[in-house]
Amino acid sequence: MGFMDELKKAGKELKRSLMDIKTAPFVEEMCRLTANMYRLGWDERNGGNISYMLDEKEVAEYLDLNNVIRVIPLMGVEEGKFDCSALAGKIFIVTGTGKYFKNVQEDPEANLGIVRVAENNKGLELLWGYSDGGRTTSELPAHLMCHMARLKVDPQNRVVIHSHPTNTLAMNYVHELDEKKFTHTLWEMCTECIVVFPEGVGILPWMLCGTNTIGEATAEKMSDYRLVVWAMHGVYGSGRTLDETFGLIETVEKASQIYMLTCNLPRINTITDAQLKEIAEFFKVDYRKDFLNLK
Ligand code: 2HA
Ligand code: ZN
């Protein structure tokens, strides 16, 4: 073989070789986001979890998709009672059960996993991660139910994030847990809220987490809302990108913070319902008109 042929062959082999997964934008983004959320104080200890649907072609640049490390059963669901076959073949990057957001950045391979939903509800095929023998978050069935519900409404939905944002949680204890009233209060707290979540926020009463029941109830709410409050626990947010979903939770949390800072003080000023309508119309968002009290 001549020198040029060898050079060509080496080039082809290099192309075939996979890139380092730790440099993949989706892994780096997960590291940055979990670190941010930890620093914001929303995800203490092992609180919170994230699932992010990836593009198969993009993942194939980093991982051999034929190499299944092990199969992980779906936790918290009774066999035969949970059907995620609509997601078969889809690949997700998911935070691990019992893992701390605090630690993801320094060791993504132990704290995150990349899994593919197996055919016929046969669990999850691990393609990368959970290097210490770990598994997906115990909330994954709830996440998958939410993904299925959101994809029906928005085929571009990719992300589900569960978190415990401090002020949103605080507000659960002092504000009526009525979707209209809660949303209305949030909309009043920052001018742009009605533009960021024009559909409002859904609310579930306190329920036991990690079960089929709460997953189904959350998914049902997700047909109408991208953000669902789990009373006295936290929130589930969904969206097309990690940024968009984080931004949604961040905006709800900011509004809750303004509420918590002002709810014990005499209220002198407010954004009126007529003004909220004016903002929504100016930004051309399809808002929940029945959540305003317009004449
Ligand atoms: O992953 O936040 O609700 C820990 C939790 C469960
Ligand atoms: Zn939680």
Side-chain angles (χ1 to χ4, degrees), residues 43-49 95-99 101 137-139 162-164 209-210 230 233 236:
D43 297 279
E44 72 289 346
R45 201 172 179 274
N46 65 325
N49 30 71
T95 51
T97 182
K99 301 297 192 215
F101 275 24
T137 166
S138 58
E139 300 286 357
H162 168 58
S163 182
H164 305 160
C209 56
W230 279 11
H233 181 147
Y236 258 69

Side-chain angles (χ1 to χ4, degrees), residues 206-227:
W206 187 91
M207 290 171 83
L208 185 63
C209 56
T211 64
N212 250 17
T213 317
I214 197 167
E216 280 163 9
T218 312
E220 205 181 309
K221 288 280 177 202
M222 283 252 170
S223 308
D224 296 322
Y225 305 99
R226 286 166 302 145
L227 189 127

Side-chain angles (χ1 to χ4, degrees), residues 11-274:
K12 266 187 197 157
E13 257 161 20
L14 200 67
K15 245 188 207 161
R16 266 202 299 270
S17 73
L18 300 167
M19 291 189 280
D20 177 5
I21 184 81
K22 284 187 191 136
T23 66
F26 46 86
V27 172
E28 290 187 341
E29 241 183 301
M30 287 287 284
C31 289
R32 277 196 303 271
L33 180 58
T34 46
N36 250 328
M37 293 178 74
Y38 171 68
R39 286 274 160 233
L40 286 163
W42 302 352
D43 297 279
E44 72 289 346
R45 201 172 179 274
N46 65 325
N49 30 71
I50 304 178
S51 61
Y52 172 20
M53 191 194 290
L54 304 175
D55 177 52
E56 183 179 306
K57 280 203 196 89
E58 199 181 349
V59 182
E61 292 173 18
Y62 302 90
L63 298 176
D64 175 0
L65 300 184
N66 294 315
N67 182 28
V68 176
I69 301 167
R70 58 191 155 97
V71 175
I72 300 174
L74 282 160
M75 295 191 293
V77 285
E78 286 172 59
E79 210 165 320
K81 284 210 175 152
F82 173 53
D83 181 15
C84 60
S85 50
L87 295 172
K90 298 286 185 212
I91 298 173
F92 293 86
I93 187 163
V94 186
T95 51
T97 182
K99 301 297 192 215
Y100 293 21
F101 275 24
K102 176 173 88 62
N103 299 333
V104 173
Q105 197 149 37
E106 72 194 44
D107 192 357
E109 193 161 2
N111 293 287
L112 302 174
I114 295 180
V115 294
R116 180 171 52 211
V117 179
E119 302 287 336
N120 305 319
N121 300 308
K122 291 276 188 272
L124 306 156
E125 299 165 343
L126 181 65
L127 301 173
W128 175 81
Y130 306 139
S131 59
D132 58 1
R135 297 162 165 230
T136 47
T137 166
S138 58
E139 300 286 357
L140 192 66
H143 279 243
L144 295 180
M145 289 182 217
C146 289
H147 279 284
M148 290 188 280
R150 282 311 303 169
L151 285 168
K152 280 188 195 156
V153 189
D154 177 10
Q156 285 177 277
N157 194 86
R158 295 289 175 269
V159 176
V160 173
I161 299 179
H162 168 58
S163 182
H164 305 160
T166 314
N167 291 283
T168 311
L169 205 43
M171 189 168 157
N172 284 193
Y173 292 85
V174 296
H175 194 285
E176 267 182 88
L177 294 172
D178 169 86
E179 285 168 349
K180 174 176 173 170
K181 289 179 186 164
F182 201 90
T183 297
H184 189 270
T185 299
L186 293 176
W187 281 352
E188 278 181 318
M189 293 298 126
C190 312
T191 291
E192 290 181 356
C193 277
I194 196 167
V195 182
V196 178
F197 47 98
E199 79 273 38
V201 300
I203 302 180
L204 287 182
W206 187 91
M207 290 171 83
L208 185 63
C209 56
T211 64
N212 250 17
T213 317
I214 197 167
E216 280 163 9
T218 312
E220 205 181 309
K221 288 280 177 202
M222 283 252 170
S223 308
D224 296 322
Y225 305 99
R226 286 166 302 145
L227 189 127
V228 179
V229 172
W230 279 11
M232 277 78 75
H233 181 147
V235 298
Y236 258 69
S238 62
R240 295 177 174 181
T241 64
L242 288 176
D243 261 1
E244 186 192 287
T245 313
F246 171 75
L248 170 65
I249 298 172
E250 186 182 31
T251 308
V252 168
E253 169 63 4
K254 177 65 177 276
S256 301
Q257 184 179 19
I258 307 292
Y259 176 76
M260 293 309 296
L261 285 169
T262 55
C263 66
N264 280 323
L265 300 171
R267 183 93 158 256
I268 297 172
N269 302 306
T270 198
I271 306 172
T272 65
D273 282 27

